[in-house]
């Protein structure tokens, strides 16, 4: 069994299609969440490929699921942001 096979869904987070399906099951779409939150069309789709705490919290709150369950690679316990890997503060000398 490989490492990938032994991971639990919580360690990997939700797949994009699972999040979209859950939003649809609750009677909404990403487009309607955009409108309801005053964003241009397509803005909330950013949450699927970039770390955007505001947008990710909108979706997590709508689904009533902790943000760290949806995106555990970006969020730790209690929804705290994890540091970006490879990121450094300031410029290299």
């Amino acid at each position: 069994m490989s490492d990938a096979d032994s991971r639990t869904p919580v360690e990997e987070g939700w797949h994009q299609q699972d999040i979209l399906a859950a939003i649809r099951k609750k009677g909404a779409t990403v487009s309607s969440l955009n409108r309801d939150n005053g964003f241009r069309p397509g803005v909330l789709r950013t949450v699927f490929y970039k770390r955007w705490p505001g947008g990710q919290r909108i979706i997590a709150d709508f689904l009533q699921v902790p943000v760290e369950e949806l995106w555990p690679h970006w969020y730790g316990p209690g929804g705290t942001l994890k540091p970006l890997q490879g990121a450094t503060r300031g410029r290299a000398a």
Side-chain angles (χ1 to χ4, degrees), residues 29-48:
T29 63
V30 174
S31 294
S32 68
L33 292 177
N34 274 318
R35 284 190 301 273
D36 293 348
N37 288 281
F39 296 125
R40 292 179 288 115
V43 171
L44 274 177
R45 289 203 178 269
T46 302
V47 303
F48 296 116

Side-chain angles (χ1 to χ4, degrees), residues 31-74:
S31 294
S32 68
L33 292 177
N34 274 318
R35 284 190 301 273
D36 293 348
N37 288 281
F39 296 125
R40 292 179 288 115
V43 171
L44 274 177
R45 289 203 178 269
T46 302
V47 303
F48 296 116
Y49 58 90
K50 288 186 180 177
R51 183 165 84 164
W52 177 31
Q56 288 153 345
R57 289 202 189 277
I58 287 169
I59 290 176
D61 289 348
F62 178 77
L63 295 177
Q64 298 176 329
V65 174
V67 71
E68 65 269 22
E69 183 177 325
L70 296 174
W71 294 283
H73 51 288
W74 285 326

